[in-house]
Amino acid sequence: MSTRTETDPRFDSGALTRAVESADADAMLALFADDAEMEMIDKRAQPSRPAVLHGKAAIAPALREVFSRDMTHEVLDCVVDADHAAYTERCSYPDGTRVMSMTMLDLRDGRISHQSTVQAWDEPAAPRPETGDFARAEETEVLDRARTEALRVGGHTAVRMTLRPGWRWTVDMAESRGTAKCMANHRAYVVSGALRWQMDDGTEGEVRAGQVVCLPPNHDAWVLGDEPVTLVDWPVAEG
């Protein structure tokens, strides 16, 4: 931790550091004047329209919310003179995400009358090109008349299903899944063969090679004819 200069003994920078690093909202709040303002500038609250809180009563819940988060706080630098103080803070989440902030304080009678903070945080890594191969699927399930292979690509799961003639969900899958109908939310491309589906309200339809189907939960489905069905499914729940 860097050296601090304190030319104004009325404002306790040590108390500020202890409050921040221990995530003590009440101790931090005690450093503010009753009519203090807190101003925040970041990606969401841009410079032309910063987020501003007026008064200690409005600042209190904001401090408590920040200090309740699962993160560590570290004051890196703090400098104080008669009327102002400034400090930088580094926060870290358990997953490694970091937030950096720079705060300027206006002081009056040893209390914070105005706080202005500019902060920035790590963004998720940009998507990168990625390929997968069902021949090296991460999960494979083999039943009498069905084979499923699943792998994750780009953060989402893709499933290839191969269904033999005679396959029907209520006959071949219901027992292992523990439900009377399929409760998955499917979005699939049919590579080969033909499949018929029926919803719980009796609505029926067919999907064939080259077509895409989206089936909501509570449905049955079965293979039509003597040709196996192969389809690739991206479950809707995966986004």
Side-chain angles (χ1 to χ4, degrees):
M1 189 169 296
S2 64
T3 302
R4 304 175 178 85
T5 59
E6 297 183 53
T7 59
D8 181 7
R10 292 178 302 170
F11 182 76
D12 189 347
S13 63
L16 181 146
T17 298
R18 290 190 296 273
V20 170
E21 296 189 342
S22 63
D24 188 335
D26 290 331
M28 187 68 186
L29 192 63
L31 300 176
F32 284 83
D34 290 342
D35 61 348
E37 287 188 338
M38 177 183 285
E39 181 179 37
M40 178 67 70
I41 299 172
D42 56 28
K43 185 176 180 180
R44 296 167 299 190
Q46 298 177 16
S48 61
R49 48 183 185 278
V52 182
L53 299 173
H54 302 278
K56 198 170 180 178
I59 293 171
L63 287 177
R64 292 194 174 94
E65 192 280 325
V66 169
F67 286 150
S68 69
R69 296 176 190 174
D70 185 14
M71 62 162 70
T72 60
H73 302 259
E74 182 181 4
V75 175
L76 302 179
D77 299 279
C78 183
V79 179
V80 182
D81 67 19
D83 300 313
H84 302 91
Y87 68 95
T88 58
E89 180 182 352
R90 178 171 60 204
C91 302
S92 301
Y93 285 92
D95 66 0
T97 299
R98 286 190 173 182
V99 182
M100 289 292 298
S101 65
M102 295 183 179
T103 299
M104 175 64 72
L105 305 175
D106 294 337
L107 305 176
R108 187 181 68 236
D109 298 327
R111 292 287 182 266
I112 300 168
S113 61
H114 184 273
Q115 172 176 313
S116 181
T117 298
V118 179
Q119 67 174 0
W121 53 83
D122 291 335
E123 297 285 356
R128 302 180 62 183
E130 186 177 356
T131 61
D133 189 341
F134 282 114
R136 293 189 291 274
E138 298 164 10
E139 296 181 20
T140 300
E141 180 181 29
V142 180
L143 302 173
D144 289 342
R145 288 182 288 196
R147 177 185 178 91
T148 62
E149 299 148 307
L151 54 82
R152 288 185 68 80
V153 178
H156 299 281
T157 300
V159 179
R160 180 171 68 180
M161 301 179 65
T162 304
L163 311 172
R164 295 173 56 191
W167 177 89
R168 183 164 186 157
W169 198 94
T170 49
V171 175
D172 295 83
M173 309 296 290
E175 183 176 353
S176 63
R177 299 299 187 263
T179 58
K181 297 288 181 67
C182 180
M183 302 308 294
N185 202 353
H186 296 287
R187 179 174 52 198
Y189 170 72
V190 180
V191 178
S192 62
L195 196 71
R196 189 163 185 84
W197 50 266
Q198 182 184 63
M199 300 303 300
D200 194 49
D201 64 2
T203 304
E204 293 191 18
E206 294 180 7
V207 61
R208 297 180 177 272
Q211 295 182 317
V212 177
V213 64
C214 185
L215 283 178
N218 215 357
H219 62 266
D220 190 14
W222 58 94
V223 173
L224 289 177
D226 298 326
E227 182 182 0
V229 170
T230 300
L231 56 85
V232 178
D233 182 30
W234 288 268
V236 174
E238 290 283 338

